[in-house]
PDB file of all heavy atoms in Angstrom:
ATOM      1  N   ASP B 562     107.524 151.193 185.170  1.00 87.00           N
ATOM      2  CA  ASP B 562     106.633 151.829 186.140  1.00 87.00           C
ATOM      3  C   ASP B 562     106.621 153.336 185.982  1.00 87.00           C
ATOM      4  O   ASP B 562     105.614 153.980 186.247  1.00 87.00           O
ATOM      5  CB  ASP B 562     107.081 151.491 187.569  1.00 87.00           C
ATOM      6  CG  ASP B 562     107.271 149.999 187.717  1.00 87.00           C
ATOM      7  OD1 ASP B 562     106.441 149.256 187.161  1.00 87.00           O
ATOM      8  OD2 ASP B 562     108.233 149.588 188.375  1.00 87.00           O
ATOM      9  N   GLU B 563     107.765 153.875 185.562  1.00 87.00           N
ATOM     10  CA  GLU B 563     107.829 155.328 185.457  1.00 87.00           C
ATOM     11  C   GLU B 563     107.252 155.854 184.153  1.00 87.00           C
ATOM     12  O   GLU B 563     107.164 157.059 183.963  1.00 87.00           O
ATOM     13  CB  GLU B 563     109.288 155.780 185.572  1.00 87.00           C
ATOM     14  CG  GLU B 563     109.875 155.474 186.921  1.00 87.00           C
ATOM     15  CD  GLU B 563     111.382 155.460 186.875  1.00 87.00           C
ATOM     16  OE1 GLU B 563     111.933 155.766 185.811  1.00 87.00           O
ATOM     17  OE2 GLU B 563     112.004 155.127 187.897  1.00 87.00           O
ATOM     18  N   LEU B 564     106.879 154.936 183.263  1.00 87.00           N
ATOM     19  CA  LEU B 564     106.308 155.390 181.993  1.00 87.00           C
ATOM     20  C   LEU B 564     105.050 156.210 182.225  1.00 87.00           C
ATOM     21  O   LEU B 564     104.742 157.137 181.472  1.00 87.00           O
ATOM     22  CB  LEU B 564     105.937 154.188 181.122  1.00 87.00           C
ATOM     23  CG  LEU B 564     107.026 153.539 180.278  1.00 87.00           C
ATOM     24  CD1 LEU B 564     106.429 152.383 179.522  1.00 87.00           C
ATOM     25  CD2 LEU B 564     107.602 154.534 179.308  1.00 87.00           C
ATOM     26  N   GLY B 565     104.312 155.847 183.260  1.00 85.00           N
ATOM     27  CA  GLY B 565     103.040 156.521 183.500  1.00 85.00           C
ATOM     28  C   GLY B 565     103.202 158.002 183.770  1.00 85.00           C
ATOM     29  O   GLY B 565     102.270 158.776 183.560  1.00 85.00           O
ATOM     30  N   ASP B 566     104.428 158.413 184.211  1.00 85.00           N
ATOM     31  CA  ASP B 566     104.616 159.835 184.498  1.00 85.00           C
ATOM     32  C   ASP B 566     104.680 160.653 183.229  1.00 85.00           C
ATOM     33  O   ASP B 566     104.517 161.867 183.268  1.00 85.00           O
ATOM     34  CB  ASP B 566     105.933 160.054 185.251  1.00 85.00           C
ATOM     35  CG  ASP B 566     105.956 159.259 186.537  1.00 85.00           C
ATOM     36  OD1 ASP B 566     104.865 158.941 187.035  1.00 85.00           O
ATOM     37  OD2 ASP B 566     107.060 158.976 187.016  1.00 85.00           O
ATOM     38  N   TYR B 567     104.989 160.006 182.118  1.00 87.00           N
ATOM     39  CA  TYR B 567     105.269 160.778 180.923  1.00 87.00           C
ATOM     40  C   TYR B 567     104.313 160.545 179.779  1.00 87.00           C
ATOM     41  O   TYR B 567     104.080 161.436 178.973  1.00 87.00           O
ATOM     42  CB  TYR B 567     106.691 160.470 180.424  1.00 87.00           C
ATOM     43  CG  TYR B 567     107.745 160.800 181.433  1.00 87.00           C
ATOM     44  CD1 TYR B 567     108.233 159.835 182.295  1.00 87.00           C
ATOM     45  CD2 TYR B 567     108.225 162.097 181.556  1.00 87.00           C
ATOM     46  CE1 TYR B 567     109.177 160.154 183.238  1.00 87.00           C
ATOM     47  CE2 TYR B 567     109.188 162.410 182.481  1.00 87.00           C
ATOM     48  CZ  TYR B 567     109.657 161.436 183.329  1.00 87.00           C
ATOM     49  OH  TYR B 567     110.597 161.741 184.258  1.00 87.00           O
ATOM     50  N   LEU B 568     103.781 159.325 179.683  1.00 87.00           N
ATOM     51  CA  LEU B 568     102.991 159.036 178.498  1.00 87.00           C
ATOM     52  C   LEU B 568     101.521 159.280 178.754  1.00 87.00           C
ATOM     53  O   LEU B 568     101.036 159.160 179.869  1.00 87.00           O
ATOM     54  CB  LEU B 568     103.183 157.580 178.070  1.00 87.00           C
ATOM     55  CG  LEU B 568     104.615 157.167 177.699  1.00 87.00           C
ATOM     56  CD1 LEU B 568     104.613 155.699 177.352  1.00 87.00           C
ATOM     57  CD2 LEU B 568     105.093 157.959 176.522  1.00 87.00           C
ATOM     58  N   LYS B 569     100.791 159.549 177.662  1.00 86.00           N
ATOM     59  CA  LYS B 569      99.356 159.714 177.785  1.00 86.00           C
ATOM     60  C   LYS B 569      98.710 158.354 178.026  1.00 86.00           C
ATOM     61  O   LYS B 569      99.263 157.335 177.673  1.00 86.00           O
ATOM     62  CB  LYS B 569      98.806 160.291 176.474  1.00 86.00           C
ATOM     63  CG  LYS B 569      99.329 161.646 176.122  1.00 86.00           C
ATOM     64  CD  LYS B 569      98.212 162.636 176.233  1.00 86.00           C
ATOM     65  CE  LYS B 569      98.700 164.041 176.117  1.00 86.00           C
ATOM     66  NZ  LYS B 569      98.366 164.618 174.828  1.00 86.00           N
ATOM     67  N   SER B 570      97.495 158.344 178.563  1.00 86.00           N
ATOM     68  CA  SER B 570      96.916 157.093 179.058  1.00 86.00           C
ATOM     69  C   SER B 570      96.660 156.087 177.942  1.00 86.00           C
ATOM     70  O   SER B 570      96.972 154.905 178.094  1.00 86.00           O
ATOM     71  CB  SER B 570      95.614 157.371 179.799  1.00 86.00           C
ATOM     72  OG  SER B 570      94.687 157.945 178.895  1.00 86.00           O
ATOM     73  N   GLU B 571      96.129 156.528 176.818  1.00 86.00           N
ATOM     74  CA  GLU B 571      95.822 155.581 175.738  1.00 86.00           C
ATOM     75  C   GLU B 571      97.099 154.965 175.189  1.00 86.00           C
ATOM     76  O   GLU B 571      97.217 153.767 175.005  1.00 86.00           O
ATOM     77  CB  GLU B 571      95.106 156.309 174.597  1.00 86.00           C
ATOM     78  CG  GLU B 571      93.648 156.548 174.853  1.00 86.00           C
ATOM     79  CD  GLU B 571      92.964 155.286 175.275  1.00 86.00           C
ATOM     80  OE1 GLU B 571      93.214 154.233 174.663  1.00 86.00           O
ATOM     81  OE2 GLU B 571      92.184 155.337 176.241  1.00 86.00           O
ATOM     82  N   TYR B 572      98.052 155.863 174.908  1.00 86.00           N
ATOM     83  CA  TYR B 572      99.352 155.440 174.393  1.00 86.00           C
ATOM     84  C   TYR B 572     100.007 154.473 175.369  1.00 86.00           C
ATOM     85  O   TYR B 572     100.535 153.437 174.994  1.00 86.00           O
ATOM     86  CB  TYR B 572     100.194 156.707 174.218  1.00 86.00           C
ATOM     87  CG  TYR B 572     101.439 156.554 173.421  1.00 86.00           C
ATOM     88  CD1 TYR B 572     101.403 156.501 172.029  1.00 86.00           C
ATOM     89  CD2 TYR B 572     102.669 156.510 174.041  1.00 86.00           C
ATOM     90  CE1 TYR B 572     102.554 156.392 171.299  1.00 86.00           C
ATOM     91  CE2 TYR B 572     103.821 156.399 173.311  1.00 86.00           C
ATOM     92  CZ  TYR B 572     103.763 156.344 171.943  1.00 86.00           C
ATOM     93  OH  TYR B 572     104.909 156.238 171.222  1.00 86.00           O
ATOM     94  N   LEU B 573      99.929 154.845 176.642  1.00 87.00           N
ATOM     95  CA  LEU B 573     100.556 154.029 177.677  1.00 87.00           C
ATOM     96  C   LEU B 573      99.950 152.640 177.721  1.00 87.00           C
ATOM     97  O   LEU B 573     100.653 151.642 177.838  1.00 87.00           O
ATOM     98  CB  LEU B 573     100.361 154.712 179.035  1.00 87.00           C
ATOM     99  CG  LEU B 573     100.899 153.941 180.228  1.00 87.00           C
ATOM    100  CD1 LEU B 573     102.388 153.926 180.165  1.00 87.00           C
ATOM    101  CD2 LEU B 573     100.436 154.597 181.500  1.00 87.00           C
ATOM    102  N   LYS B 574      98.642 152.580 177.572  1.00 86.00           N
ATOM    103  CA  LYS B 574      97.976 151.274 177.629  1.00 86.00           C
ATOM    104  C   LYS B 574      98.492 150.356 176.531  1.00 86.00           C
ATOM    105  O   LYS B 574      98.756 149.181 176.743  1.00 86.00           O
ATOM    106  CB  LYS B 574      96.472 151.476 177.462  1.00 86.00           C
ATOM    107  CG  LYS B 574      95.671 150.990 178.650  1.00 86.00           C
ATOM    108  CD  LYS B 574      94.215 151.070 178.390  1.00 86.00           C
ATOM    109  CE  LYS B 574      93.692 152.394 178.861  1.00 86.00           C
ATOM    110  NZ  LYS B 574      92.237 152.495 178.811  1.00 86.00           N
ATOM    111  N   LYS B 575      98.629 150.933 175.332  1.00 87.00           N
ATOM    112  CA  LYS B 575      99.094 150.103 174.225  1.00 87.00           C
ATOM    113  C   LYS B 575     100.546 149.681 174.420  1.00 87.00           C
ATOM    114  O   LYS B 575     100.939 148.566 174.107  1.00 87.00           O
ATOM    115  CB  LYS B 575      98.988 150.882 172.902  1.00 87.00           C
ATOM    116  CG  LYS B 575      97.586 151.114 172.464  1.00 87.00           C
ATOM    117  CD  LYS B 575      96.974 149.836 172.001  1.00 87.00           C
ATOM    118  CE  LYS B 575      95.543 150.071 171.630  1.00 87.00           C
ATOM    119  NZ  LYS B 575      94.992 149.068 170.789  1.00 87.00           N
ATOM    120  N   VAL B 576     101.342 150.610 174.942  1.00 87.00           N
ATOM    121  CA  VAL B 576     102.765 150.289 175.097  1.00 87.00           C
ATOM    122  C   VAL B 576     102.962 149.234 176.175  1.00 87.00           C
ATOM    123  O   VAL B 576     103.781 148.324 176.043  1.00 87.00           O
ATOM    124  CB  VAL B 576     103.553 151.576 175.416  1.00 87.00           C
ATOM    125  CG1 VAL B 576     104.954 151.248 175.826  1.00 87.00           C
ATOM    126  CG2 VAL B 576     103.578 152.481 174.215  1.00 87.00           C
TER     127      VAL B 576
END
Side-chain angles (χ1 to χ4, degrees):
Chain B
D562 309 320
E563 296 160 4
L564 277 180
D566 302 337
Y567 300 94
L568 299 178
K569 298 248 171 105
S570 62
E571 281 309 316
Y572 193 78
L573 177 69
K574 241 186 268 188
K575 291 289 177 161
V576 170

